[in-house]
Amino acid sequence: MALTGVLRPGHVAIRVLEMAPALKHYKDILGLTEMGRDASDRVYLKAWDEHDHHSVVLREADEAGMDYMGWKVDSPATLKKLAADIERSGLATDTQWIPAGEHLHTGERFRFTVPTGHVMELYAEKDYVGNNCGTDGPNVNPDPWPDGLKGISPSRFDHCLLYGDDLDGTVKLFTEVLGFSLAEKVMTKADPDFMIGAFLTCSNKAHDVAFIRQPVKGKFHHASFELGSWEKVLHASDILSRTKTRIDIGPTRHGITRGETVYFFDPSGNRNEVFSGGYIHYPDKPAITWYDETLGPAIFYHDRELNEAFLSVFT
Amino acid sequence: MPQHRITIVHTGEEFGCDEEDNVLHAASDQLRRKDIPIGCCNGGCGVCKVRVTAGRYVTRKMSRAVCGQEEEASGCVLACKLYPRSDLTIEVVGKMVRAIVARRSTAFSFDFRATVQVVNPDKET
Ligand code: FES
Ligand SMILES: [Fe+2]
């Protein structure tokens, strides 16, 4: 099976309370690169190994949280097809086309709201800027990483974890319309058909997006960025401590996805994660099941206990 | 730098807080028990919400999603964005109460079954 259709999470748009401290956090501490600002003062950033123009968009607002998450699809034809499929499914609301150029260096986007209240977008085109590793032109005889990395410097924006109420509807939309697989799920022991957590992938990753059922609409738990190793997660935690960035939990391991992780907060209270590891997912891999009674080790494998903050702290 | 006394109404707990320090940080520094639940510490999540019943204070920018304008007008503020200008009396509100109860009973409820939207910044008490 080749990777087609929805390729990956391409961007996340995050609301911040004040731009200056947010930029200090996302650029100097997390180590993303600023790629541009638009007429409405949104700031566009990317991680070093991403080839497209941007993956994080910050907007100053009165509320923290996530505006939307964008997904890159393999072609303009796929974009049109999936947009029609979404309309036909009746599972999404507030569908609309956002014209090309509304995001810097980005083609038209199809925007829709999923049953958990999160705004999602599909797009096919974003300008290529490369990862700056080539020694003899872009992608020719590349070095393994570029010069001038700053802070934690993850390789890419990887996934989000989101909270919302109609989990079943959102899972149906992602699996049946957008072609995602359910890599892992959390069910209740009392009612084994009742899902409380869904870890969905459109690729070979253990997850590209995850949802947890909570009685809210459109809430944001974290945006996560990839690091190459457990040692880098430890190093990231050192950077967070020395910059007095508020660490939520970790470094530790998730039972779900097996990822090694540290959670921390941006200056507006939005949670970030950097992680490494996990496994390779193939579409024929059976879904992993967890039950609510083992949610502790599922989320934090070493503590084996969910902290209060995991469920009540979100933006 | 002037230091002010902060009193938490329903536990009677007292601690000092500089004008340059936020109440959540001062509380977590000085109180043995975590009387004010600690979330993002950055004005976004709302778990540290308190109502100031007496005293003068200033705040820094708080997310309107967890502390609405009306709410703020009624004295509800986020402790992590609360800077005293006199002695303060505060009471715990919102998710904070839930957290204190949760610590007593060790298990906290998950609420996974609810499907209604309960986060309503202007009405949450
Ligand atoms: S701890 Fe999150 S708003 Fe104060
Ligand atoms: Fe994550």
Side-chain angles (χ1 to χ4, degrees), chain A residues 160-214:
Chain A
C160 286
L161 172 58
L162 305 170
Y163 281 5
D165 55 359
D166 186 1
L167 181 65
D168 309 303
T170 287
V171 170
K172 193 171 158 72
L173 176 59
F174 273 90
T175 55
E176 293 179 15
V177 183
L178 297 174
F180 283 58
S181 334
L182 189 61
E184 305 201 21
K185 56 188 173 172
V186 187
M187 315 299 284
T188 57
K189 218 27 194 293
D191 176 359
D193 291 329
F194 189 75
M195 193 184 289
I196 55 181
F199 293 72
L200 295 153
T201 178
C202 61
S203 66
N204 265 160
K205 287 152 55 187
H207 61 333
D208 288 297
V209 67
F211 293 90
I212 286 185
R213 188 191 297 268
Q214 285 283 273

Side-chain angles (χ1 to χ4, degrees), chain A residues 74-91:
Chain A
D74 63 13
S75 67
T78 297
L79 177 59
K80 292 280 183 265
K81 181 195 172 295
L82 288 175
D85 292 348
I86 290 165
E87 295 276 19
R88 204 173 319 115
S89 75
L91 289 164

Side-chain angles (χ1 to χ4, degrees), chain A residues 91 252 257 273:
Chain A
L91 289 164
T252 182
T257 75
E273 174 185 45

Side-chain angles (χ1 to χ4, degrees), chain B residues 24 37-48 78-80:
Chain B
L24 180 63
I38 302 175
C40 66
C41 294
N42 287 334
C45 74
V47 305
C48 68
L78 304 177
C80 64

Side-chain angles (χ1 to χ4, degrees), chain A residues 17-18 60-64 165 188 191 194 196 212-217 219 246 265-269 292 295 306-308 311-315, chain B residues 38-47 60-66 81 95 98-99 102 108-119 121:
Chain A
L17 299 176
E18 291 169 298
E60 194 174 281
D62 284 341
E63 296 185 5
D165 55 359
T188 57
D191 176 359
F194 189 75
I196 55 181
I212 286 185
R213 188 191 297 268
Q214 285 283 273
V216 292
K217 283 275 186 211
K219 290 298 176 182
R246 164 95 177 112
F265 293 103
D266 81 3
S268 305
D292 50 350
L295 202 52
L306 216 50
N307 60 355
E308 168 77 12
L311 286 177
S312 37
V313 177
F314 51 80
T315 54
Chain B
I38 302 175
C40 66
C41 294
N42 287 334
C45 74
V47 305
R60 293 192 188 154
K61 195 167 178 183
M62 306 180 284
S63 176
R64 284 290 177 222
V66 292
K81 295 286 180 172
K95 289 179 182 171
R98 187 177 131 202
F108 56 94
S109 87
F110 289 121
D111 246 7
F112 288 118
R113 291 210 164 259
T115 52
V116 290
Q117 183 160 358
V118 296
V119 171

Side-chain angles (χ1 to χ4, degrees), chain B residues 12-121:
Chain B
E13 210 99 43
E14 275 190 32
F15 55 96
C17 184
D18 292 339
E19 293 204 347
E20 293 315 306
D21 200 6
N22 69 70
V23 168
L24 180 63
H25 181 256
S28 67
D29 244 17
Q30 294 169 56
L31 301 182
R32 201 164 35 82
R33 296 184 308 148
K34 282 191 208 157
D35 266 333
I36 306 182
I38 302 175
C40 66
C41 294
N42 287 334
C45 74
V47 305
C48 68
K49 201 186 289 173
V50 298
R51 177 178 285 113
V52 181
T53 54
R56 286 178 298 109
Y57 57 90
V58 295
T59 56
R60 293 192 188 154
K61 195 167 178 183
M62 306 180 284
S63 176
R64 284 290 177 222
V66 292
C67 187
Q69 236 147 359
E70 287 169 36
E71 215 176 2
E72 192 183 343
S74 77
C76 278
V77 292
L78 304 177
C80 64
K81 295 286 180 172
L82 172 62
Y83 299 81
R85 290 295 175 264
S86 74
D87 291 355
L88 297 182
T89 308
I90 61 176
E91 58 184 38
V92 294
V93 294
K95 289 179 182 171
M96 202 161 147
V97 175
R98 187 177 131 202
I100 288 170
V101 172
R103 271 197 299 279
R104 286 206 192 105
S105 64
T106 68
F108 56 94
S109 87
F110 289 121
D111 246 7
F112 288 118
R113 291 210 164 259
T115 52
V116 290
Q117 183 160 358
V118 296
V119 171
N120 192 333

